[in-house]
Amino acid sequence: MSYILLGHGDLLVHRGAPPCSGESIVVPRGTTIQLYTDGGQGLVIGPDELDVWSQVFCAAAVDAGTGLHNLVLHGGDDLANDQLASDLERGGHTLIRPGVDGMPDPIRLCTGTPRTCPPPVDPFGEEVTHDCGGLLGLLGRLPGPQGVVHWLECASITDTRRPVTTPERAEQRTHVAWDPNWVPDEAAQRAIARVNRRIVRAASDRTIVNFVIGGSAFLIGDSRLPDPFSCHHPMHAYYVRELQADNLVHGKIRVRRPWWENGWFDVAGVPQHRETLVRECIARFAPHKGIGFVELRTRQAPSPSGGAGGKGARSHR
């Protein structure tokens, strides 16, 4: 059997050998765990996108008897996607997602104690299994060998197909309208940052992306969508566009990725009194990038003297 575990992880997996320090478990006999991550970039699915496996890399393959961090996956609304399930279950895989189809949220590899979850082989050489509420306990209660587990951590999942209004989405929008005093909390700011990060990481050198500022939220748009800001949670887009409609700032970011350094963002269209907010929001998803604030240039009719108008940079990095 082959199982795919998909969820939002802490992205503890890096290229190279799996970690063996801290809170750890030993992979049981008959099981191999392959660790995948999107590197914090987020997954994109849709009719014109690459499949999920082309957007992740395998950080490690952990065989039976090897120590491994007791990893955890968290759920999210973006995991309950029929197309995603269809794509991942091709080839006879069984897809398991936190909070979907009755699965617990979060899901840990092991939730037991040394009493319920002994080492993979007892002193007499007999096979033993986990007896806990974690993934290894779940697989240990299934018939047949546990086989290969594909542990896939992602930061977010974006569906680029045209949005379809469902009762759940309509209820979500109605719920937002009930609370005109809602403001983004820390969890909302992290969710906004995850989407922003995915968009700018997909941008090549000199790519220009749009953004909007409303209240305390800074949203970057995905130009591939009919509505570029629909990639964000409906509540976050509603807050900016409706609750902050009288206080909107539209602008553009030019992403710079020269090969000799980390790169920077040229941010155009931000009033000086909003620069601090923009710096704070960008630091959430690109803390190592430089920031240069410039004037937003627009097409203007030539002046009588023949000049085209416009101003240069106001500040840089």
Side-chain angles (χ1 to χ4, degrees):
M1 291 293 293
S2 178
Y3 302 89
I4 298 176
L5 270 292
L6 173 67
H8 302 307
D10 298 324
L11 300 172
L12 297 175
V13 180
H14 300 283
R15 294 183 186 274
C20 297
S21 60
E23 182 189 4
S24 62
I25 55 96
V26 176
V27 178
R29 174 183 293 179
T31 300
T32 297
I33 301 178
Q34 296 185 349
L35 307 176
Y36 298 85
T37 177
D38 65 357
Q41 180 170 300
L43 302 178
V44 181
I45 60 173
D48 300 322
E49 300 300 331
L50 301 174
D51 63 43
V52 169
W53 298 111
S54 68
Q55 302 177 58
V56 299
F57 66 84
C58 182
V62 187
D63 294 324
T66 304
L68 176 68
H69 270 308
N70 191 5
L71 301 174
V72 59
L73 287 179
H74 300 274
D77 294 338
D78 51 354
L79 296 179
N81 186 295
D82 292 338
Q83 179 182 341
L84 180 68
S86 176
D87 289 346
L88 290 177
E89 290 188 333
R90 291 173 184 166
H93 302 298
T94 298
L95 178 62
I96 300 175
R97 293 164 287 179
V100 179
D101 297 330
M103 290 293 107
D105 184 9
I107 292 178
R108 277 190 174 276
L109 280 175
C110 175
T111 61
T113 66
R115 185 173 182 178
T116 61
C117 300
V121 180
D122 73 5
F124 299 97
E126 295 182 3
E127 294 190 20
V128 294
T129 60
H130 284 241
D131 184 18
C132 67
L135 171 68
L136 297 179
L138 169 65
L139 298 184
R141 291 187 288 274
L142 296 177
Q146 296 180 18
V148 178
V149 175
H150 302 277
W151 184 275
L152 201 165
E153 295 186 356
C154 68
S156 62
I157 300 172
T158 301
D159 192 337
T160 62
R161 295 172 298 175
R162 184 176 297 276
V164 177
T165 301
T166 63
E168 292 79 12
R169 298 280 286 189
E171 180 182 354
Q172 192 174 42
R173 288 196 294 270
T174 304
H175 175 72
V176 174
W178 291 340
D179 186 5
N181 298 314
W182 183 85
V183 295
D185 57 11
E186 182 61 26
Q189 293 287 6
R190 289 198 300 269
I192 292 171
R194 284 198 298 268
V195 178
N196 289 345
R197 180 188 300 115
R198 177 186 63 77
I199 295 171
V200 298
R201 284 195 174 185
S204 57
D205 185 36
R206 296 183 179 273
T207 296
I208 295 177
V209 296
N210 296 314
F211 70 81
V212 63
I213 304 171
S216 60
F218 175 80
L219 275 58
I220 296 177
D222 189 334
S223 60
R224 296 173 297 180
L225 303 178
D227 175 4
F229 298 101
S230 64
C231 55
H232 289 271
H233 191 287
M235 181 177 291
H236 306 158
Y238 178 88
Y239 166 77
V240 170
R241 289 170 160 172
E242 302 295 333
L243 303 185
Q244 302 294 325
D246 298 330
N247 190 31
L248 289 183
V249 174
H250 291 273
K252 299 179 181 294
I253 296 176
R254 182 171 59 186
V255 179
R256 297 305 317 275
R257 297 182 183 279
W259 61 267
W260 61 87
E261 60 175 285
N262 263 338
W264 67 90
F265 299 137
D266 291 327
V267 185
V270 180
Q272 286 187 319
H273 70 280
R274 304 289 270 169
E275 288 182 2
T276 298
L277 170 69
V278 172
R279 288 186 182 276
E280 292 174 351
C281 291
I282 290 179
R284 291 177 178 272
F285 64 86
H288 304 299
K289 297 288 187 183
I291 303 173
F293 291 99
V294 301
E295 298 293 340
L296 181 62
R297 295 178 180 270
T298 58
R299 291 184 178 272
Q300 300 178 3
S303 64
S305 62
K311 297 181 179 180
R314 181 166 68 239
S315 64
H316 188 70
R317 286 182 280 179

